[in-house]
Amino acid sequence: MRLVIIEDKNIGHNRPLNALVNELSKLQESEIIQFRLNDDVSEFTDNLQKSVFSKTLILGAGHRSHKKIIALQKYIAKKENAIGVALMKPTFCINQYDLVVAPNHDFLNRKIPNNVITHDGSLSKVSHAHVIENTLLIAIGGPTPKMPFQENLVLNNINHVLNVHPEYKIRLCNSRRTPNNFWNKIKDLDHEFLEIYEENNTDSEAFQNLIATSEKKFVTPDSINLVSECLSSMGATYVVQINKITLKKSILPFKQNKFLEYIESMRANGQLGYVAESIEGPVKLTRIEKPRIINSPMCEVEKVAFQIKNWVKNKYS
């Protein structure tokens, strides 16, 4: 099968896209061709040689790529079978794509269309790498409108994690959204075996290795991509409580908090642990709730790749 991949500079779009392409390539012989967002569609398709494969999948993630999928499919379909696959839920006209691959939390309280394949969280590369004993990753994101940070609460919860694991090697990481003042306070927390990994000095591959090899991963829940990447590796994953705001559930899509829905579903099925403050009588305590499932990576991207392969086979056989 020929795979035309629409490149995007957005890392949050490229990671799930590349993870899916990698899995599709494992399932069948493939030819991979890159298309950049700024490339001219007609010029690209004019120079596109006829494929030895009978089908071409056009894949893109994110709204800018979705527009290119439709344009490329129109031109390529003149020469051969062209199948448009959009990763992430399109904003408009979902039925204009042959297939849409999107997370379950994008369809809360809504019927899933027939051309949609859903998955939990984000599509992430699966790692079965052995973890290093007594290593612990703490990855800090940043506040968002739907996931605000109460800094003192986050600091207390992280400090508790450090105190409970005095002999662990702590790998402390920030992100491009972590406020500088807050990050400085976190770095000042006391622990004998603290290793600092600054976002601007740690490349993506090195960070992925930290996730894959850490026995325990403690992350803030403001990034579904990050939580999913941790859950797709060995070891145990925990989310750190970042606020005490109780948001009411709503059937209205624009009022739904997809982050909280995803986190709660993963906690309920035992895949996520939790670090949070609780009030027991007159005493305020911080507790660590362990996940029931450890060392069993989620394999959502492998499931989706298999479903796509079968869909194409049944559709065009």
Side-chain angles (χ1 to χ4, degrees):
M1 184 181 298
R2 176 154 67 180
L3 305 175
V4 175
I5 312 303
I6 302 175
E7 291 184 335
D8 193 328
K9 292 182 180 180
N10 187 316
I11 295 176
H13 295 166
N14 281 339
R15 281 183 182 170
L17 178 61
N18 290 335
L20 179 58
V21 169
N22 185 53
E23 291 302 324
L24 286 170
S25 301
K26 291 179 183 178
L27 292 176
Q28 59 206 329
E29 186 179 355
S30 302
E31 173 194 10
I32 299 174
I33 299 175
Q34 302 286 349
F35 175 89
R36 293 167 297 186
L37 278 176
N38 293 329
D39 286 347
D40 182 79
V41 172
S42 59
E43 182 180 343
F44 175 84
T45 52
D46 286 345
N47 293 326
L48 195 63
Q49 300 297 315
K50 184 172 177 59
S51 176
V52 297
F53 300 100
S54 60
K55 306 173 190 68
T56 295
L57 254 66
I58 307 161
L59 300 101
H63 302 306
R64 293 180 66 202
S65 296
H66 291 167
K67 297 176 183 178
K68 296 291 186 177
I69 292 173
I70 302 301
L72 283 168
Q73 185 177 16
K74 177 182 176 181
Y75 279 90
I76 296 175
K78 296 175 182 178
K79 302 179 181 179
E80 56 200 63
N81 289 325
I83 304 162
V85 182
L87 271 66
M88 305 178 182
K89 182 175 174 288
T91 305
F92 304 105
C93 303
I94 198 169
N95 289 327
Q96 68 183 317
Y97 304 92
D98 294 307
L99 268 181
V100 171
V101 177
N104 286 310
H105 58 251
D106 278 347
F107 295 93
L108 295 172
N109 303 317
R110 280 176 285 181
K111 183 179 179 181
I112 299 175
N114 292 331
N115 66 327
V116 173
I117 293 174
T118 61
H119 54 86
D120 285 325
S122 297
L123 296 180
S124 303
K125 180 180 178 181
V126 181
S127 172
H128 293 280
H130 292 294
V131 297
I132 302 171
E133 289 187 9
N134 294 341
T135 55
L136 188 152
L137 172 75
I138 298 178
I140 309 296
T144 68
K146 287 198 172 184
M147 299 296 282
F149 277 36
Q150 294 174 345
E151 291 190 1
N152 287 338
L153 175 65
V154 181
L155 285 169
N156 289 339
N157 286 335
I158 293 174
N159 194 48
H160 181 74
V161 172
L162 297 179
N163 290 337
V164 171
H165 300 85
E167 297 180 359
Y168 274 64
K169 180 183 290 184
I170 308 296
R171 300 157 159 187
L172 187 59
C173 308
N174 65 341
S175 77
R176 64 184 182 279
R177 292 188 295 105
T178 310
N180 287 332
N181 290 340
F182 182 49
W183 176 235
N184 289 332
K185 292 176 184 178
I186 294 172
K187 290 191 294 183
D188 284 341
L189 293 175
D190 185 44
H191 193 281
E192 185 177 356
F193 307 110
L194 194 63
E195 297 179 351
I196 307 295
Y197 293 89
E198 299 276 357
E199 181 271 335
N200 55 359
N201 293 324
T202 307
D203 62 29
S204 176
E205 186 175 343
F207 180 63
Q208 295 303 311
N209 184 62
L210 292 174
I211 290 177
T213 59
S214 294
E215 181 185 349
K216 297 181 180 181
K217 310 101 166 52
F218 290 81
V219 300
T220 54
D222 51 284
S223 168
I224 291 177
N225 280 345
L226 176 57
V227 175
S228 298
E229 287 170 356
C230 292
L231 287 173
S232 299
S233 65
M234 302 287 279
T237 302
Y238 304 73
V239 290
V240 178
Q241 179 194 27
I242 58 174
N243 61 61
K244 294 181 180 179
I245 299 173
T246 302
L247 298 177
K248 294 181 180 179
K249 292 191 176 184
S250 173
I251 62 172
L252 301 175
F254 68 93
K255 286 189 175 181
Q256 292 170 345
N257 192 317
K258 299 174 183 179
F259 295 85
L260 290 180
E261 293 284 352
Y262 173 62
I263 296 302
E264 288 304 315
S265 68
M266 292 296 101
R267 285 183 67 192
N269 68 22
Q271 302 207 249
L272 266 182
Y274 202 62
V275 184
E277 273 191 2
S278 62
I279 305 296
E280 299 185 14
V283 181
K284 181 190 294 184
L285 300 172
T286 302
R287 293 194 178 278
I288 297 179
E289 170 192 303
K290 296 181 179 180
R292 296 193 305 273
I293 301 172
I294 61 173
N295 291 323
S296 181
M298 289 180 61
C299 301
E300 294 299 294
V301 69
E302 295 177 358
K303 296 175 187 176
V304 168
F306 185 75
Q307 288 177 282
I308 292 175
K309 179 186 175 184
N310 281 347
W311 183 91
V312 172
K313 179 180 178 182
N314 294 334
K315 182 84 172 177
Y316 294 92
S317 59

